[in-house]
Amino acid sequence: MVVVATAPATSTPFILSLLPTRHTPLPFTRAATTLPFSLLLRHRSVLSSLRFQISFKSPSSTLHEADEDEEGEQDFEENEEDDEFEYDDDEDVAADEYDDVSSEAYDGAVSDEGEEAFEAARLGNDGTFKWQRVEKLCKEVREFGSDIIDVDELASVYDFRIDKFQRLAIHAFLRGSSVVVSAPTSSGKTLIAESAAVATVARGRRIFYTTPLKALSNQKFREFRETFGDNNVGLLTGDSAVNRDAQVLIMTTEILRNMLYQSVGNISSGGGLLHVDVIVLDEVHYLSDISRGTVWEEIVIYCPKEVQLICLSATVANPDELAGWIGQIHGSTELVTSSKRPVPLTWHFSLKNSLLPLLDEKGTRMNRKLSLNYLQLQGAGVKSYNDDWPRRKNSRRRGTRYDSDGSTLENRSLSKNNINAIRRSQVPQIIDTLWQLQSRDMLPAIWFIFSRKGCDAAVQYVENCNLLDECETSEVELALKRFRIQYPDAVRETAVKGLLQGVAAHHAGCLPLWKAFIEELFQRGLVKVVFATETLAAGINMPARTAVISSLSKRGDSGRVQLSTNELLQMAGRAGRRGIDESGHVVLIQTPNEGAEECCKVLFAGLEPLVSQFTASFGMVLNLLAGVKAIHRSNESDDGRPSSGRTLEEARKLVEQSFGNYVSSNVMLAAKEEINKIEKEIEILMSEITDEAIDKRSRKALSQRQYKEIAELQEQLRAEKRVRAELRKQMEATRISALKPLLEDPENGHLPFLCLQYTDSEGTQHSLPAVFLGKVDSLNASKLKKLVSSADSFAINLGDAEPSITDSVLDDGLEPSYHVALGSDNSWYLFTEKWIKTVYGTGFPNVPLAQGDALPREIMSTLLDKEDMKWDNLAQSAYGGLWFMEGSLDTWSWSLNVPVLSSFSESDELLLKSQAYRDAVERYKDQRNKVSRLKKKISRTEGYKEYSKVIDAVKFTEEKIRRLQNRSKRLTNRIEQIEPSGWKEFMQVSNVIHETRALDKNTQVIFPLGETAAAIRGENELWLAMVLRSKILLELKPPQLAAVCASLVSEGIKLRPWKNNSYIYEPTTTVMNVIKLLDEQRSALLTIQEKHGVMIPCCLDSQFCGMVEAWASGLTWREIMMDCAMDEGDLARLLRRTIDLLAQIPKLADIDPLLQRNAKAAYDAMDRPPISELAG
């Protein structure tokens, strides 16, 4: 039987508000001076509402200029960009299994006073510790038998009343069922697993507890040892084992999956599951993770049915489907769900000068004081309306409100530019929000920012704001001193100043040891604000009073991506400490592009369902087809006879048990039935709005004379509209022809200003001022040139355009081309002539700013080529797209000098100097007016009132059709998500294995290459096995072997372009020659994979080999990190990955003994402080 639990998810991006004012440099680049906090509050005009008892250090210019140059500050806020700091596209992957810390890391870092307080907190009402109560229960079971174990006995272990859902889950477990628990983050799901562990240990049996992260495994390892004692708890990670035969064994999910490979289909072999009664799958909602979700599905499929499963999950939309699937393939499974949080959450929204409730009193809608219209009134100084204002007598519309001039607030129309201006004026700086949190006693807080760089910059920005009292500062200094003595190389010196003020950063760029140290201080209340990336929300037990989410979007592989409701709730779930806080607080922040409306839209969008990510890997296929005997030959001597595995039909039965197939069989049929009904309804409705149907209804509603009059006018209108469309096309062609010479040969050799214009998906038109750099082909930007010429997304497809425009353009030899400009919002824009509204006669003088300097055009081209080329599409057409990419701090000063559009006059527009274009515009305007006059004439006809009713009915039907089409589209997308494809992928991978002679196609006899691939752990096991079996590795010395191994596991590791330092060690010539030879093998394997439709990557990257080779050769951590262009966390992760691969080599079958000895030597050389402390 299986039990499943779930909890909510959240996430947020970073806002530009790290910069104080546009005219003031970054605060952390200036010398700090101490100011009384009351003075700061006076400058903010919020003295009456804030009660601070902290000191604050800030550049004097920041505050003094705030009064003296208020107008300049407002100008900055109107133009500031939503992301001052570029997001890391590969930031903090929660699935990174190398982010672990020693379980003993901080035994000596806690003060005596802290230990005493901690021990006192664990004492129960009877004066005993939890471990003593557990020991007492185990003794009673040994004396009276396991029948005495019930819910009350297990609940007695805790000194508080357990919740109803916890009791229900424990009941289900004691009945022998597997359990699925779906509950909010921090609701106490771990208690269920801990109770199962108490019962299992008392019975003398074993329980496995799995987590998705090594860091989380380490945390659970420490917690369970406090409950069950050191001898009863073990830990398994990829590179070390602690007490692996313990009754309670903690491990990552991949470790358990590999153990199950050995036992699937042959339980008698043991496979490491001897005496195991229970397996806990923590964070089982990872099943939806694209890169690792398949591991959870495989565990459920392969797990012996006599083993109970306890599945703990965040809240998701379909826990019933998860429980049903587990029950179908594993046995009796009960579902326990809970939507109640033990510590309720209060949602807030941070503006520039206030912190308001995000929701209304009922918590079902947005607080109306956060509406754009209300904020506009407040900004204009208009007295706001009251809730109890009487409605107008002639108004019968419920909920209509009026402002002071009598117009309804709901219907007050705002342009896109007005909306942006309102939002930008309300964007708070970090210190603004921090003041609000401090004044309302809402610290400690976890502040989520989706950028390492943003986290570090935020710490620097507030590191002069002291959040600690003298006693707390002393404790931090003492803890830091002890940590420095124990781990001198792990201290992050750039973060020490902020740490002593009570603020810290927590992200994948930090060493895991340092992150664990920050977690320890935070839990002790010695760090008040942690600026963290979303990895911190992935299950690490680090609750706070408040969770701050800096933005609703984050950088993804395909551009900016909005957070899902699951992600938002996951992060929000970090707020509220059970037994400490009466309420947790979640603060969302106004950004230039996201307001309270968008926040509520995400919050109320509904949870996302779990989606199967079941995919076949080389290791899976080899282990399933060769079964136990593949592993048997890896670990024991072969008897000389070939061993065959299970048949394809047997393997297929396992593969088709995936969660995706279960969901598809139940959901797909119902969805397809509904789609068929919708299509039939749409077909009926479409027949009601055809020209014939409209004509028939018009004839019925109108007299013959009325009908004839309107019909004749409508025919005229259609003809005039065709002329208008043709003139618009001619005007567009003329505009492109007029723009070409202006862009290729700007007047006076300057960089002209221009206006870009596009219409978004909602029909809102945007105008963007920018300074023109030039045609892409003419710029010194090799990365951009390569991208535009090679990427299909930048293609210009004139074949899809209107023939009238295309012919005109091509006849004149004026085919569209891509150009680049820097916008006033510090964004780069990539565009064709299609998106240029006009070019102005003024611009940047393209002359050196000082003698010896490069030209501005060359400087900006160089800055452009330094970017990561992460372009986001704003608009697309057959004549090319309009793309944007955020600029950097280096381009900020250039963007400040781009004027606003209102400062230009018509006389500045060079496009209007073209007589041909002016004539085309006039012809189009005249025709547009003609169409407008004809519409008015129709509206004045005698039968128009009845005719308009027919038209309104048609519009209503069209809207209904649109809604049905959207519903059909959503159902179709759902079907595509759950379409089963596991067996097809399995066969594709199998074909590659057969062609590479790793497995016999007919008998399934496994060959040595297959044995090695089946036993190894990695992303592409077949590729790793090929490399490790290559004889060219035998000539390498241990450091060189480590360097080559690093090239196989460095995927996702990147240089950090914002770092001032840019040095990394280069590999030796021998290593480069070996990698060059391996690259030929890699190309051959990729060709075979492509032939069979397999897209599993084969990593081989020499970029960081030199760093690993230097470390394996004996360089110290300080030496290797000096002027290094890599973050400490990235390098540590790469070294641990390399060590993990080296540790596997001596255990693999049929590997040359010399290679195994060299791997052992390289492992020993690399596994030293501070890297050695990172293992479990």
Side-chain angles (χ1 to χ4, degrees), residues 21 100 106 138 177 201 221 252 301 362 461 474 544 623 664 708 743 771 801 809 822 964 1019 1070 1075 1099-1100 1113 1147:
T21 57
D100 57 46
Y106 302 105
C138 292
S177 297
V201 170
F221 179 57
T252 55
I301 293 171
K362 295 181 179 179
Y461 182 59
S474 299
N623 279 287
S664 64
K708 182 179 179 181
L743 298 176
V771 59
V809 170
L822 178 65
L964 289 171
E1019 186 169 13
T1070 302
I1075 291 177
C1099 182
L1100 185 67
S1113 299
K1147 305 171 187 176

Side-chain angles (χ1 to χ4, degrees), residues 892-1032:
W892 188 260
S893 59
W894 295 94
S895 69
L896 293 178
N897 293 296
V898 178
V900 296
L901 293 176
S902 59
S903 64
F904 295 106
S905 63
E906 282 194 7
S907 60
D908 293 324
E909 298 185 29
L910 298 180
L911 190 58
L912 296 181
K913 294 183 180 181
S914 167
Q915 186 62 46
Y917 176 68
R918 290 205 309 273
D919 292 343
V921 171
E922 288 302 319
R923 288 194 297 270
Y924 173 73
K925 286 182 177 179
D926 290 343
Q927 185 62 26
R928 189 175 60 187
N929 292 334
K930 193 173 183 181
V931 169
S932 178
R933 289 193 297 271
L934 197 52
K935 287 181 179 180
K936 290 181 180 179
K937 186 176 181 180
I938 293 174
S939 67
R940 297 192 187 104
T941 58
E942 182 181 349
Y944 181 75
K945 184 176 181 180
E946 293 301 321
Y947 178 73
S948 64
K949 292 180 181 178
V950 175
I951 300 303
D952 289 343
V954 170
K955 291 179 179 178
F956 178 80
T957 304
E958 290 174 341
E959 178 60 30
K960 188 174 181 180
I961 291 173
R962 276 194 292 271
R963 290 199 300 268
L964 289 171
Q965 288 172 335
N966 290 334
R967 172 65 178 163
S968 177
K969 185 177 180 181
R970 288 195 297 270
L971 289 171
T972 302
N973 292 337
R974 175 74 167 132
I975 290 175
E976 290 175 353
Q977 285 181 315
I978 62 180
E979 193 76 48
S981 58
W983 181 245
K984 178 184 177 182
E985 295 172 354
F986 187 95
M987 289 304 301
Q988 290 171 333
V989 172
S990 176
N991 290 335
V992 174
I993 290 174
H994 293 147
E995 186 165 340
T996 55
R997 298 293 296 163
L999 191 72
D1000 185 85
K1001 186 173 185 178
N1002 299 314
T1003 65
Q1004 307 300 348
V1005 172
I1006 190 165
F1007 297 115
L1009 174 62
E1011 281 193 68
T1012 303
I1016 204 167
R1017 299 189 312 273
E1019 186 169 13
N1020 189 322
E1021 301 91 344
L1022 185 61
W1023 165 238
L1024 294 176
M1026 285 180 167
V1027 173
L1028 297 180
R1029 295 182 61 80
S1030 177
K1031 299 301 181 184
I1032 60 176

Side-chain angles (χ1 to χ4, degrees), residues 576-595:
R577 298 165 296 178
R578 189 166 190 167
I580 301 176
D581 301 322
E582 293 183 1
S583 174
H585 303 278
V586 184
V587 178
L588 300 170
I589 297 180
Q590 174 74 57
T591 73
N593 295 321
E594 299 157 351

Side-chain angles (χ1 to χ4, degrees), residues 755-766:
C755 175
L756 302 173
Q757 192 172 78
Y758 74 98
T759 303
D760 62 21
S761 58
E762 297 177 357
T764 304
Q765 192 174 74
H766 302 263

